[in-house]
């Protein structure tokens, strides 16, 4: 029964420096490793280094120690006097005296004490600990939270893992004593669940100079790069001039918040932006809107183009909503619209945002019960390229799928059906376009197959039926002399398809670099029969060519989409070889080559290939594709389509992506892409349509300084698409980043320069443009290379 | 304190020296005293009685001296051990343990250089010295079972 | 010349083990690809956990398209489609054999003639290929546990 192990260390007044820097599992996050590099060991042990739920576990003892312990063991009331100590799992309390009520789990510390637990170190003048509720209340305290939150307060209340409330606070994430910035606040509430801290009457001091007073301040507490306080942002670009945004955050309720962000552009004028977020158990969403009464730059641009009413308001709306209804129905709304087609180019900070050719908005609902599932959507597009055709709208579209999977006798059955109303905007219909009818398309496709998959071979005979019904109307432009190539009104088509897919798997083991590999050889044969059904005049809504890969040769329909169901009497043969790394279970290399042997000429085509002589050929082009994935993140991929009749290539694409990470904070991405295709109109011309190099990366100069860069170059047009250069100085609790960007903007293609500046108080907030998310778009896996 | 009369005291040992005049009897060698649920043992038990022969107090020396009792209304025995122990029947009824003292009930324990237990109020006090501090191990989670 | 039918000694295989698939994703196509992979690797799909030697849990699936390259005119010229499935493997008692990890396949494709409608069909076709690739990756990993 003797248990007098030395629980509490003799020396009572430890401070943070002596606490061992915990090297528990929680420290793999590169962001944190980088901060340890800059700030030294964390100020407290990681909160997840212990299982908090074990604290109230009956098996977990409280270990008390003092010069004198008196009390009543039946009632569980103890008084500890003289160098008192209380320990429960990771919680360690040192004080001169402690009053302990074991039944109610209360420890009262009348005077000077130090307290530490996983995630927190604390010095206090007096304190009250509710041990059962895992909460504490401390007066005149100095605290240090994992990893680098520190400060002092008149009063601190913390309810275990949920919430901490601190009054008359001095707070910073800079090392104690070297506070480059300091936040003073009347009160601060840290909610660990939402991961946000909200301060009231906050005064921010930077470099000793009072900078900002704000009645309300919200910031992320767990170092997640989240937009807590939406910082005043400023920046500079040729088209906008200088811009300055001052956001105002309004917390309406625990799960509703509104952020208003007025922005002033020196050359464009004022814009008001707002973001309303709501979160309820059964639904959640985010509604963002921007509105500008008049944009001087755009007004001038329109009046130069002789626009009748150039001074128009400009706006953008983005609403993402999702929720669930009874009976397991999930629904969602995605609304994205802008006032004019140049809006994204003018106001989105990166190329990706501004390169969209259309914006999709849709409302959808889906449900799956057992083997049945359906999805319905109402969807339409905003076309941002006036010259090009408007994509079809689904007004609405319904898909149904029945998938009982394996039936007795190893039979497999599935059925897919769809009903879509293809619509176009009214102006497009009035203008009229013979090639673009509107109307309804129903399609149903039951499929029955007998899959036999074994290690040595596979065999899958299958019967499938495609039945389509159209009900469409044409929209001919007034000056159109003839009529539309597509028939109107009700059209029906039924095409049964029979197919047998079979293949055998050969392999041979071999050793390469003392490691076991397997090379496989997989010949495959696919017989496909489908009778010819007249459908030359059926409308084309969403059907086109299939991609140029071998796998596509084994599809039931030669076309991608159901507006054309191809006639077929053909045999596809192909062979694939793979290299398998047996130890890691990876596939460093794969290559396939395949070809179709036609036993009968084809008659179903897309309108543009009506008289193509390929239809009467006895053999298709030869397709080949290969992929090489080498260790050290080098991936090569090639696709090639070759025409044996004319003995010339039809289409080739090659891409190489390489990522090189030789040392911490060093990352280099290189990718090269070539694409060559036959010209659609004149197939004798085989031209390079894309020749593209992209490089991006980051390089440390020293502990604090690092460089980042990005470069996109089109060798075809011999021009830079985008050049980005940036530099960052990062210290323990603040950082400054500058990024300059030179890119080709819009069709006119003139080069545009923008400079972005950002000042970061690590863990609290940022001022300036959000260069971090911009750099993440430019440099792939940037946030993994932060350390 | 307890209302019914206490059961008789039995003491046994290898050797006994009784001194009726001073009322002190000394039991030496595997001395064991039982007094109802209470059981005390040690190398030497010195029993002091009143003139009427009632037990007044006793002193126990041992490697270690041991004490065991089942307080009224408790399911779990209370036990203790120390180099030297004193037990007083009244004023209040108490047990004092000196020298590497350890007092425990179930998994809960209290230890120190000396431990005093008031058997009427269940009040306890442990005192440490420089090389052995007062220490307690308690399992609040099991309070309900006790 | 050393070629032998898959499944003969020296190769890798599931060696007749029973696999129970837990599908938290709810994609029937992915389930079918995994079932074919199991049979093709010499395993058996079983309907209950206690009959199983291996329990494959399909946690999440994501299929993201993003612009990979922007042309001189400022329009997207190249898209990147990434298909990612996170999965983990346990034995029937629940001890983790492969902790949760992701198998992903990626492909870039050029802008499709015909615009958004045809591009959606092209994405579906490519996603089908990526899904079979990911299913094969998972099967390979299973056979070298």
């Amino acid at each position: 029964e003797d248990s007098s192990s030395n629980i509490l260390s003799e020396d009572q007044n430890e401070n943070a420096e002596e606490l061992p820097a915990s090297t528990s599992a929680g420290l793999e996050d590169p962001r944190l490793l980088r901060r340890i590099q800059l700030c030294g060991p964390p100020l407290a042990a990681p909160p997840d280094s212990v299982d908090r739920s074990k604290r109230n576990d009956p098996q977990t003892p409280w270990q008390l120690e003092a010069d004198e312990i008196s009390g009543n063991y039946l009632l569980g009331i103890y008084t500890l006097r003289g160098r008192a100590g209380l320990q429960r799992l990771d919680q360690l309390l040192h004080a001169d005296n402690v009053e302990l009520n074991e039944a109610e789990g209360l420890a009262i510390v009348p005077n000077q004490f130090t307290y530490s637990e996983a995630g927190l170190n604390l010095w206090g003048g007096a304190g009250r600990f509710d041990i059962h509720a895992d909460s504490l209340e401390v007066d005149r305290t100095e605290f240090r939270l994992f990893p680098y939150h520190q400060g002092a307060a008149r009063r601190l209340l913390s309810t275990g893992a949920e919430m901490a409330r601190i009054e008359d606070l001095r707070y910073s994430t800079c090392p104690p004593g070297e506070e480059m910035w300091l936040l003073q606040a009347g009160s601060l509430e840290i909610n660990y669940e939402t991961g946000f801290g909200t301060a009231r009457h906050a005064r921010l001091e930077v470099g000793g100079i009072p900078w900002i007073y704000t009645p309300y301040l919200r910031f992320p507490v767990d170092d997640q790069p989240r937009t807590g306080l939406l910082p005043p942002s400023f920046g500079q670009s040729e088209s906008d001039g200088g811009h300055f945004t001052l956001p105002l955050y309004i917390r309406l309720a625990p799960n509703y918040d509104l952020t208003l962000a007025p922005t002033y552009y020196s050359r464009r004028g004022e814009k008001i932006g707002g973001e309303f977020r709501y979160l309820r158990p059964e639904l959640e969403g985010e509604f963002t809107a921007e509105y500008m009464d008049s944009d001087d730059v755009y007004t001038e641009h329109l009046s130069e183009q002789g626009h009748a009413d150039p001074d128009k308001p400009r706006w953008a709306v983005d609403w993402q909503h999702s929720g669930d209804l009874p009976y397991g129905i999930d629904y969602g709304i995605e609304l994205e619209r802008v006032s004019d087609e140049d809006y994204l180019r003018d106001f989105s900070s990166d190329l990706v945002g501004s390169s969209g050719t259309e914006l999709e908005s849709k409302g959808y609902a889906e449900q799956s019960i057992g083997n049945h599932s359906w999805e319905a959507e109402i969807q339409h597009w905003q076309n941002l390229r006036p010259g090009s055709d408007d994509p079809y709208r689904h007004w609405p579209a319904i898909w149904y799928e029945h998938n009982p999977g394996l039936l007795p006798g190893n039979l497999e059955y599935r059925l897919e059906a769809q009903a879509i109303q293809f619509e176009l905007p009214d102006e497009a219909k009035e203008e009229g376009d013979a090639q673009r009818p509107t109307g309804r398309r129903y399609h149903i496709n039951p499929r029955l197959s007998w899959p036999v998959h074994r290690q040595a071979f596979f065999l899958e005979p299958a019967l499938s039926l495609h039945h389509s019904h159209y009900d469409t109307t044409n929209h001919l432009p007034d000056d159109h002399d003839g009529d539309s190539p597509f028939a109107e009104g009700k059209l029906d088509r039924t095409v049964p398809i029979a197919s047998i897919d079979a293949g055998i798997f050969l392999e041979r083991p071999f050793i390469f670099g003392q490691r076991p590999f397997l090379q496989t050889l997989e010949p495959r044969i696919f017989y496909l029969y489908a009778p010819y059904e007249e459908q030359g005049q059926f409308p084309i809504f969403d059907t086109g060519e299939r991609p140029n890969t071998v796998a596509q040769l084994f599809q039931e329909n030669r076309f991608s989409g159901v507006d054309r169901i191809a006639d077929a009497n053909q045999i596809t043969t192909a062979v694939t070889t793979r290299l398998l790394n047996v130890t890691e279970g990876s596939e460093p290399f794969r290559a396939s080559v395949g070809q179709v042997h036609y036993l009968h000429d084809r008659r179903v085509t897309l309108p543009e290939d009506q008289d193509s002589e390929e239809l009467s050929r006895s053999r298709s082009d030869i397709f080949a594709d290969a992929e090489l994935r080498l260790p050290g993140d080098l991936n090569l991929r090639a696709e090639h389509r070759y025409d044996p009749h004319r003995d010339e290539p039809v289409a080739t694409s090659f891409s190489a992506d390489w990522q090189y990470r030789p040392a911490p904070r060093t990352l280099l991405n290189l990718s090269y892409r070539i694409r060559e295709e036959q010209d659609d109109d004149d197939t004798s011309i085989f031209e390079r349509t894309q020749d593209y190099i992209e490089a991006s990366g980051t390089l440390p100069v020293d502990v604090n300084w690092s460089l980042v860069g990005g470069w996109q170059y089109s060798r075809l047009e011999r021009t830079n698409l985008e050049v980005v250069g940036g530099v960052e100085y990062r210290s323990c609790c603040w950082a400054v980043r500058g990024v300059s960007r030179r890119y080709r903007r819009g069709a006119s293609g003139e080069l545009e320069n923008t400079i972005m500046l950002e000042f970061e108080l690590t863990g609290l907030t940022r001022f300036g443009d959000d260069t971090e998310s911009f750099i993440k778009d430019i440099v792939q896996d940037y946030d993994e290379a932060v350390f | 304190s307890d209302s019914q009369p206490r059961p008789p005291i039995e003491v046994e040992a290898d050797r006994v020296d009784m001194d009726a005049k001073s009322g002190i009897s000394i039991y030496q060698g595997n001395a064991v005293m039982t007094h109802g649920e209470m059981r005390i043992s040690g190398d030497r038990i010195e029993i002091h009685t009143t003139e009427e022969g009632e037990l007044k107090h006793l002193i126990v020396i041992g490697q270690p001296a041991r004490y065991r009792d089942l307080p009224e209304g408790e399911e779990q025995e209370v036990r203790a051990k120390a180099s030297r122990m004193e037990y007083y029947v009244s004023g209040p009824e108490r047990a004092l343990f000196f020298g590497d003292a350890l007092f425990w009930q179930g998994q809960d324990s209290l230890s120190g250089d000396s431990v005093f237990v008031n058997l009427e109020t269940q009040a306890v006090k442990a005192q440490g010295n420089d090389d052995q501090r007062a220490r307690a191990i308690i399992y609040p989670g099991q309070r309900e079972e006790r | 010349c050393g070629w032998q039918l898959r499944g003969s000694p020296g190769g890798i295989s599931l060696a007749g083990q029973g696999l129970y698939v837990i599908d938290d994703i709810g994609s029937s196509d992915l389930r079918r690809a995994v079932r074919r992979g199991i049979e093709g690797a010499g395993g058996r799909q079983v309907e209950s956990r206690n009959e199983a030697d291996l329990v494959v849990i399909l946690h999440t699936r994501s299929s993201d398209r993003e612009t990979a390259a922007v042309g001189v005119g400022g329009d997207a010229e190249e898209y990147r489609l990434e298909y990612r499935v996170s999965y983990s493997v346990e034995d029937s008692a629940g001890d983790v054999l492969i902790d949760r990890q992701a198998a992903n396949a990626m492909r870039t494709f050029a802008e499709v003639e015909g615009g958004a409608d045809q591009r959606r069909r092209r994405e579906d076709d490519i996603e089908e290929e990526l899904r079979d690739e990911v299913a094969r990756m998972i099967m390979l990993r299973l056979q070298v546990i």
Side-chain angles (χ1 to χ4, degrees), chain A residues 170-343:
Chain A
R170 183 174 57 75
Y171 167 81
S172 176
T173 61
C174 300
E178 302 153 45
E179 283 89 358
M180 179 268 182
W181 62 265
L182 203 56
L183 177 76
Q184 265 128 348
S187 77
L188 166 68
E189 256 174 35
I190 299 180
N191 182 324
Y192 290 106
E193 260 144 29
T194 62
F196 280 105
T198 43
R200 283 188 178 74
H201 308 304
R203 294 175 302 285
L204 187 60
E205 246 184 54
V206 179
I209 307 150
W211 238 36
I212 294 182
Y213 166 81
T214 159
Y216 207 96
L217 172 77
R218 183 169 182 262
F219 58 93
V221 285
D222 49 13
D223 268 358
Q224 292 293 345
R226 254 192 288 240
T227 55
L229 160 78
L230 291 171
S233 100
F234 47 82
Q236 165 69 28
S237 82
E238 273 171 60
S239 52
D240 302 344
H243 68 269
F244 181 80
T245 310
L246 184 69
L248 187 62
Y249 171 82
I250 302 159
R251 182 163 179 262
L252 309 171
N255 40 25
Y256 297 91
D257 59 42
L258 175 67
T259 311
L260 294 176
T263 303
Y264 168 73
Y265 292 93
S266 64
R267 294 190 54 212
R268 290 183 182 278
E270 298 79 27
K271 174 163 88 167
I272 174 75
E275 183 186 280
F276 174 66
R277 286 188 295 190
Y278 51 94
L279 180 68
R280 295 192 55 75
E282 71 288 355
L283 57 86
E284 64 181 273
E286 203 170 293
F287 180 84
T288 319
E290 290 173 1
Y291 178 79
M292 205 169 183
D293 204 29
S294 85
D295 175 343
D296 303 345
V297 170
Y298 195 56
T299 312
E300 190 191 308
H301 170 66
L302 290 182
S303 53
E304 271 160 17
Q305 290 179 340
H307 213 278
D309 166 19
D311 189 0
K312 292 186 305 183
R314 303 187 75 189
W315 49 266
V317 166
D318 181 344
W319 179 27
Q320 309 289 330
H321 172 93
S322 66
D324 36 47
L325 299 169
Y327 308 109
I329 297 175
D330 304 333
Y331 75 97
I333 293 160
E334 290 167 16
L335 181 67
E336 286 172 6
R337 279 198 83 83
V338 287
S339 57
D340 50 82
E341 66 264 14
D342 296 319
Y343 191 94

Side-chain angles (χ1 to χ4, degrees), chain A residues 633-649:
Chain A
D633 270 328
L634 171 61
N635 295 345
L636 307 175
R637 179 178 173 83
E639 286 169 15
H640 184 68
R641 178 173 175 176
Y642 170 77
D643 178 349
H645 299 281
R646 291 209 205 90
D647 183 17
E648 57 190 32

Side-chain angles (χ1 to χ4, degrees), chain A residues 642-683:
Chain A
Y642 170 77
D643 178 349
H645 299 281
R646 291 209 205 90
D647 183 17
E648 57 190 32
V650 172
T652 313
S653 82
F654 167 78
S655 71
D657 295 284
W658 179 49
Q659 186 173 87
Y660 178 51
R661 281 204 230 173
R665 292 172 56 217
T666 313
L667 166 70
L668 176 63
N669 291 316
L670 279 175
S671 52
Y672 180 56
R673 259 194 291 288
I674 308 175
R675 206 174 281 282
E676 289 164 336
E677 276 148 359
Q678 262 175 356
D679 187 320
D680 289 343
D681 316 330
D682 174 356
T683 53

Side-chain angles (χ1 to χ4, degrees), chain A residues 360 379 385 392 401 403 412 455 460 505 507 542 545 549 552 560 578 582 675 680 690 717, chain C residues 2 4 6 13 28 35-36 40 42 70 72 75 78 113 117 119-122 125 129 136 144:
Chain A
E360 183 179 23
Q379 173 259 18
R385 297 298 181 264
Y392 278 107
E401 202 180 296
N403 235 303
E412 189 179 87
Q455 276 191 280
E460 181 163 358
F505 300 96
E507 62 188 21
D542 59 4
E545 295 278 335
T549 63
Q552 296 298 329
S560 153
R578 299 176 209 275
V582 174
R675 206 174 281 282
D680 289 343
Q690 192 196 41
E717 285 106 0
Chain C
Q4 53 191 20
R6 187 169 67 174
S13 137
S28 54
R35 185 177 68 243
R36 294 202 159 138
V70 176
V72 168
D75 291 352
E78 190 95 358
E113 277 155 39
D117 303 297
R119 184 194 316 140
R120 265 169 92 142
R121 290 287 74 72
R122 173 66 50 95
D125 298 340
E129 282 187 44
R136 208 178 313 117
V144 294

